[in-house]
Amino acid sequence: MATMSPREDQNRRLLRARDAIDRDYAKPLDVPTLARIALMSPSHFTRSFRATFGETPHRYLQRRRIERAMALLRSPSATVTGVAEEIGFDSLGTFSRTFRSVVGVSPAEYRAAATPLPVPVCFVKTWSRPA
């Protein structure tokens, strides 16, 4: 059995933490919790995550939550407050401020401009992914 290089081992542990963010984005996640998943110190984890994925773990978590919020806001039956709670925000103000910083418009403005697109969901997610 071949052994992994230190870089491969670190990447595998970082991917494990990123997968936890993708899976549990609505749960309270912080850097120390994610660093424990990756078997690293919080500061080393943050530096390594940013170097590997191009953004901090906190920003990645925010972006994943906002991507999910964008999908939920396209449904006319979902409320902005309900969406904020569903994706893990305790405060509507924090959700709105974060949404605006990632997307560029408020959740209400996004909802007003968003129209259901007659294409597969995977295309909608790709086209509407915040930068």
Side-chain angles (χ1 to χ4, degrees):
M1 180 168 131
T3 59
M4 285 188 275
S5 71
R7 172 58 100 196
E8 289 172 328
D9 181 53
Q10 176 177 294
N11 287 344
R12 180 183 52 79
R13 290 183 285 131
L14 289 169
L15 284 169
R16 187 181 306 147
R18 191 180 74 174
D19 289 345
I21 294 172
D22 291 341
R23 180 182 58 249
D24 299 327
Y25 65 87
K27 294 180 181 175
L29 293 172
D30 58 9
V31 169
T33 301
L34 295 168
R36 278 192 301 277
I37 292 169
L39 305 173
M40 297 178 183
S41 72
S43 57
H44 181 67
F45 171 71
T46 299
R47 283 191 309 272
S48 299
F49 192 98
R50 184 177 195 151
T52 302
F53 300 116
E55 59 189 339
T56 65
H58 180 71
R59 188 59 173 184
Y60 183 81
L61 173 60
Q62 284 183 326
R63 192 170 51 77
R64 293 298 293 152
R65 285 178 171 171
I66 297 304
E67 286 173 358
R68 181 68 183 135
M70 291 168 69
L72 293 171
L73 286 170
R74 284 190 210 87
S75 169
S77 62
T79 65
V80 173
T81 303
V83 168
E85 290 172 358
E86 186 174 335
I87 64 167
F89 281 89
D90 295 328
S91 161
L92 182 60
T94 303
F95 168 66
S96 295
R97 188 171 44 258
T98 303
F99 192 96
R100 183 181 290 278
S101 76
V102 172
V103 180
V105 296
S106 73
E109 292 169 331
Y110 178 81
R111 165 180 256 153
T115 56
L117 301 173
V119 295
V121 174
C122 59
F123 288 111
V124 174
K125 286 182 179 181
T126 301
W127 293 335
S128 63
R129 173 168 281 144

